[in-house]
Amino acid sequence: MSTSEIDRQWTTRLRRRVEGKLPPEKLLPDTQPTYVSSWIYVFGIATMCSLGVVIGTGCILALRGPQWWHGSDYGHFINSMHLWSVEIFFFCMVIHLWGKFAMAAWRGGRALTWMTGVVTFLVSIGAGFTGYVSQSNFDSQWISTQAKDGINSTGAGAYFNVLNMGQMLMWHIVLLPLGAIVLTGMHVLMVRIKGVVPPFEEEAETEVAQ
Amino acid sequence: MRKKSFRPDVDAPAWKGGYSPYDIIKEGTIALVVILVLTLIMAVVFGSPDEKAITVKTWSNADPIDFATTALSELNGTSVSAAYGAPYNNTPGASQTMGPLKLEQWVGVRIPINSAKDFVISPLKSLPDQPVLDQQLKTWSAASTATKNTWLKSYAKASTNMKIVKGQVVINATNAGPVPVMINDLTQMARSGALDQALVTGHGFYTTDYTKPLLFLADSQYLGDLAQKQHLTGEQWGMMNETGSYPGQAWLWLYTFWYQIPPFNSSSSGDALVFATMGVLSLLLLFVPFIPGLRSVPRKLKIYRLIWREHYREIEKV
């Protein structure tokens, strides 16, 4: 097999592209620019870690099925962990989002990083909401019967039936977490590729190379 | 190399400053442990709410008159579900609109609900060995729409003096045809728990679809009263709350906020207006990097000076 033939292979081209975009020192950096020294940076990693706890506790709940936690003290405790990790997740995510807004973190070709972050936030709201309506208790009865009007008004209620507990549970434990995980992965990879956005240069008129 | 003017809200300056050590794995591990401990503490201290779901059985036993009145509204088509419109049924003018967009109406009926048939007639027909009821149901089926309306009006008129005596719905209605028997038997069926099962087994033995019983429950006064006590109604910012003193979906505050002010809380298409508003705001947030003016807000607010204060302090020193 000739070298040129190997060079033309999809696998070779993909590997070289990944190596070029994301060399190991960018993927797992051991230094960072000195401006990255604020508590606001903690909330990005805290959001990811709380997402990990949300998924971990959700997996434990999934092991025993949707009704388990209603009749088991241990199950109820895991549900409490699931709830509070969700609260911490959103708390960290919102601070991370507004922190990044304050930094105009889309600058320097990072618009897609910003956009994946916003979409992750919206998908997470959907994941949280479907969790609330699939709890199979009074909260889910009330929230679903109220929320149906809003969703029906968009026409989406015909296909996304919040009163169908089975459908909501599937969205909550499969589709939306999958979306949140994939989007988070993309978001983090983009951050690693582009690096953390530098501070504003306050002197006007700087020239950039294109 | 072509040079172009630097756009401060789009371009980022190349970093020419120093670097400091950064252990990403260590930071991630510490963050995970801290979040895990924080979650454990909050779970131990605060727990989580789990108010038991109500059933048609608990509702009809707790407030049989409300149940019987709701059943009548399903039968005579005056309940919210009966006149809801899409996606449940065809009710002219019931669908919400977003200006010229009639999304609800365009999508049409996809989850068909006939409240009289689904919530009253079919469950009653499923009861075995009920010769009197069977005869009354046959009378109902054979009657013309005009006759049915006469019966329903007579019953509705008399229903203001409805009583429950020894578990039976007692009403002094004349010319109400089979309606008194139907409402009373449905109430008995509900109080026994049989109606819960009849409503959810629409798709066979296994089911996870609670559309029918939830719509029926939502038509009652009982569910709203319970929600009111739990500070869950719309005026109480209910969508983002949950039972007890828990934070609920606090991230829905902006969505819930619109329901508190006009025109959202007074329009017949209030839900559609709220969703349209939130859709536009979400799109603005998504496309901030491309919207002139909006993308300049962070630079003009100068909150970034607080975030990067050490960096700017160093520059000022130099």
Side-chain angles (χ1 to χ4, degrees):
Chain A
M1 190 181 282
S2 67
T3 312
S4 61
E5 194 178 337
I6 292 173
D7 287 344
R8 282 199 304 274
Q9 287 187 135
W10 290 11
T11 310
T12 314
R13 284 156 70 176
L14 177 66
R15 192 189 64 230
R16 285 181 183 160
R17 195 176 164 81
V18 170
E19 281 172 353
K21 286 261 182 199
L22 197 61
E25 61 273 19
K26 267 192 172 181
L27 184 64
L28 290 173
D30 47 20
T31 60
Q32 64 186 358
T34 50
Y35 60 80
V36 187
S37 61
S38 165
W39 273 100
I40 201 78
Y41 290 106
V42 171
F43 288 96
I45 189 82
T47 306
M48 279 180 60
C49 291
S50 43
L51 178 63
V53 179
V54 170
I55 290 166
T57 50
C59 287
I60 298 173
L61 289 170
L63 283 172
R64 300 293 296 271
Q67 296 302 317
W68 170 58
W69 71 279
H70 295 298
S72 155
D73 289 342
Y74 176 58
H76 195 135
F77 178 69
I78 297 295
N79 181 74
S80 302
M81 284 190 71
H82 193 60
L83 167 75
W84 286 107
S85 55
V86 168
E87 298 289 347
I88 295 168
F89 169 75
F90 274 102
F91 177 78
C92 295
M93 196 183 211
V94 168
I95 293 180
H96 176 65
L97 191 151
W98 289 116
K100 291 296 162 187
F101 178 81
M103 295 182 219
W106 51 79
R107 290 175 295 130
R110 295 172 177 84
L112 208 53
T113 313
W114 167 266
M115 292 171 82
T116 51
V118 172
V119 176
T120 308
F121 176 60
L122 298 175
V123 167
S124 300
I125 288 175
F129 170 75
T130 50
Y132 272 90
V133 297
S134 58
Q135 293 179 91
S136 60
N137 57 14
F138 181 77
D139 280 304
S140 48
Q141 285 181 311
W142 179 254
I143 294 170
S144 61
T145 50
Q146 297 306 296
K148 77 177 190 308
D149 300 330
I151 293 168
N152 286 343
S153 74
T154 67
Y159 308 98
F160 185 80
N161 180 8
V162 295
L163 304 180
N164 185 336
M165 190 269 227
Q167 185 188 11
M168 290 302 104
L169 189 63
M170 290 294 111
W171 276 85
H172 179 64
I173 65 173
V174 181
L175 302 173
L176 291 168
L178 192 65
I181 291 166
V182 169
L183 285 162
T184 304
M186 286 166 61
H187 184 73
V188 170
L189 285 178
M190 285 178 201
V191 173
R192 296 270 49 95
I193 290 169
K194 291 280 182 183
V196 181
V197 72
F200 282 102
E201 238 171 35
E202 297 201 319
E203 290 82 19
E205 289 305 304
T206 309
E207 287 191 334
V208 284
Q210 190 179 50
Chain B
M1 185 180 282
R2 187 169 66 85
K3 301 226 170 165
K4 68 171 185 178
S5 172
F6 185 84
R7 296 168 298 169
D9 304 315
V10 177
D11 303 316
W15 177 242
K16 292 168 188 162
Y19 287 78
S20 48
Y22 174 51
D23 193 341
I24 192 171
I25 299 297
K26 186 179 172 186
E27 186 186 287
T29 307
I30 292 170
L32 182 62
V33 171
V34 169
I35 295 291
L36 199 55
V37 170
L38 201 58
T39 305
L40 276 166
I41 291 171
M42 293 180 105
V44 168
V45 175
F46 301 113
S48 58
D50 188 21
E51 188 80 21
K52 206 174 172 184
I54 60 167
T55 60
V56 175
K57 181 181 179 180
T58 54
W59 163 31
S60 56
N61 278 291
D63 194 347
I65 290 183
D66 181 50
F67 175 83
T69 309
T70 308
L72 173 66
S73 70
E74 306 295 359
L75 196 59
N76 67 12
T78 58
S79 72
V80 174
S81 298
Y84 192 93
Y88 306 127
N89 40 52
N90 282 312
T91 307
S95 298
Q96 297 194 36
T97 57
M98 294 180 190
L101 301 176
K102 298 177 180 176
L103 300 175
E104 204 172 351
Q105 188 184 321
W106 291 340
V107 169
V109 178
R110 300 280 167 171
I111 307 165
I113 298 289
N114 177 329
S115 63
K117 178 174 162 285
D118 293 328
F119 300 155
V120 182
I121 311 286
S122 295
L124 286 174
K125 278 185 179 171
S126 71
L127 287 172
D129 304 323
Q130 300 286 328
V132 176
L133 175 63
D134 289 345
Q135 187 53 50
Q136 298 293 316
L137 286 172
K138 278 178 191 161
T139 306
W140 175 264
S141 300
S144 67
T145 305
T147 307
K148 283 177 185 172
N149 285 338
T150 305
W151 290 338
L152 288 166
K153 274 181 190 165
S154 299
Y155 190 91
K157 197 175 171 187
S159 68
T160 48
N161 295 316
M162 185 186 283
K163 288 177 192 163
I164 303 296
V165 180
K166 293 180 182 174
Q168 302 293 312
V169 180
V170 176
I171 187 164
N172 188 20
T174 51
N175 193 25
V179 178
V181 172
M182 288 163 69
I183 297 293
N184 182 54
D185 283 16
L186 192 75
T187 306
Q188 305 314 311
M189 185 181 182
R191 299 183 78 183
S192 74
L195 185 56
D196 282 294
Q197 198 60 26
L199 289 171
V200 295
T201 51
H203 299 293
F205 183 80
Y206 290 109
T207 184
T208 55
D209 185 355
Y210 293 85
T211 303
K212 286 180 187 174
L214 282 171
L215 284 175
F216 198 176
L217 279 170
D219 287 335
S220 72
Q221 183 69 39
Y222 181 69
L223 184 69
D225 288 346
L226 289 179
Q228 177 89 32
K229 285 178 195 160
Q230 293 277 9
H231 58 82
L232 295 175
T233 60
E235 303 79 45
Q236 299 167 300
W237 296 62
M239 260 299 295
M240 56 181 273
N241 292 338
E242 57 186 325
T243 49
S245 300
Y246 291 89
Q249 300 179 83
W251 47 91
L252 292 180
W253 73 270
L254 186 57
Y255 170 83
T256 314
F257 164 75
W258 300 117
Y259 282 98
Q260 316 304 318
I261 59 168
F264 305 96
N265 63 356
S266 54
S267 168
S268 58
S269 292
D271 295 297
L273 291 178
V274 169
F275 263 76
T277 305
M278 289 306 291
V280 170
L281 291 177
S282 299
L283 287 173
L284 285 176
L285 186 66
L286 183 65
F287 291 107
V288 163
F290 309 104
I291 303 173
L294 196 55
R295 69 187 177 197
S296 306
V297 171
R299 184 165 52 85
K300 289 177 180 166
L301 281 178
K302 290 190 182 291
I303 294 171
Y304 66 84
R305 276 201 141 264
L306 201 65
I307 294 168
W308 289 312
R309 58 185 177 279
E310 285 183 26
H311 168 74
Y312 291 114
R313 206 177 292 145
E314 287 299 314
I315 287 177
E316 280 160 18
K317 271 187 202 169
V318 173

